[in-house]
Each structure stands twice: as C-alpha cells, then as structure tokens.
Amino acid sequence: MSPIAVGGPALFIGTDTPCVALVRPEIDPAQPGVREAAERAGVSPEEFAGPSDLWQLIADRTDGEGREIALTELSTADADAFAGSLLDAIADPDAEFTIVLTVAAHDVLRLSGRPAGEGFAFLASVVPPPSEGTPQLEVEIGPTALADLRVELEQFRRSLR
C-alpha cells in the first residue's frame, strides 16, 4: 500500500493519492548533508544518523493540495495506539467510525471510516497546530480493501517493535 519508501515505520491509508500517512523516516547516512554534519560532529555518518524519533503526518490530495506536519511530541507508543484503534475499528466491516490522533492536547488527525465495497472509504481531517497558521485539510480516500488495510496496520505495528 505504501506509495513512497520512507525507510522507517510508515502507515499509509490510501493506496496512492489521495492518502494520509503517519511516518517516522530514517535518516540516510549516505546523504551529503548528513555526512558533512557527522564530520563536523566528529562521528561516523551511521552513528550521526541513528534512528529518527521525529514523526510526520503527511496528507496528499489529487488536486495537489497537501500538508506535512512534524509531530515532535508523538511517541512510538502513541503511534502504535492509533494503529491499534484503527485495527479495532475495522473489525466490524459494517461499522462507521471516527478515530482521532491527538498530539500535545491537539487533535491533528480525525479519521472517519465508512463501509465501501470490500473495505472502507475514509475522510481524513488533518488539522495543523494553530501555531502553523495553515487551515485544516480534508482528504477523501476511496475504498481500501479490508484485507489490505489489516496487513498495512499489522506491518506498521510490527515495524514499531
């Protein structure tokens, strides 16, 4: 399901554009900027890069409108709990639901699901923090097969361990 490779844990809802993604990209030690920073710090590029702890919420619509929000206060446990809530919500293929990802007392993502074909269609409301000054973005995500969604969620949760 993942339309782009991020190297670290990634949960994509939607098979292409439109989609929303919760990702924790890895820092590539081969990037020139990373190599230069490591040299200045007096460590190897691999040691400098290490695992990234910075989560991002990415939303993309077919009209080119999108958002990318740094989630500096999101923990891996919170990301896992969100994925677990979504997994629980899709357990009933006939249910409509809304789950919320809250970071630092701010709801950054409201994900509403409704049955559609052999899976679910979603409305994702991405709400940047007020300090960013950008408006909420709504992303309509077409039907996603239930089996594919379960696999994506389970793989994401395994990648967090």
Side-chain angles (χ1 to χ4, degrees):
M1 278 179 72
S2 305
I4 59 174
V6 295
L11 172 61
F12 285 86
I13 301 168
T15 56
D16 199 3
T17 301
C19 72
V20 293
L22 183 60
V23 300
R24 189 180 70 202
E26 286 184 354
I27 300 170
D28 182 359
Q31 290 179 327
V34 173
R35 295 181 87 56
E36 291 169 13
E39 187 176 304
R40 284 194 303 268
V43 297
S44 73
E46 292 75 17
E47 184 180 3
F48 184 81
S52 172
D53 290 331
L54 180 61
W55 286 94
Q56 295 177 324
L57 177 61
I58 300 168
D60 195 13
R61 295 193 317 202
T62 55
D63 64 2
E65 186 74 20
R67 297 281 184 282
E68 190 171 314
I69 303 170
L71 303 175
T72 57
E73 297 184 37
L74 182 70
S75 70
T76 298
D78 293 335
D80 187 43
F82 177 78
S85 294
L86 182 51
L87 198 54
D88 291 345
I90 66 171
D92 180 353
D94 298 319
E96 292 189 14
F97 60 85
T98 298
I99 59 171
V100 179
L101 177 62
T102 303
V103 178
H106 176 72
D107 294 347
V108 295
L109 174 63
R110 280 187 312 278
L111 185 66
S112 298
R114 64 188 181 285
E118 297 294 316
F120 286 91
F122 298 96
L123 174 63
S125 299
V126 177
V127 185
S131 61
E132 288 192 14
T134 53
Q136 172 177 312
L137 179 71
E138 291 194 343
V139 181
E140 283 278 347
I141 301 168
T144 302
L146 185 56
D148 293 343
L149 188 54
R150 277 193 187 118
V151 167
E152 179 78 10
L153 288 162
E154 290 165 357
Q155 287 176 343
F156 175 72
R157 294 184 85 194
R158 277 193 303 275
S159 74
L160 297 175
R161 291 171 177 64

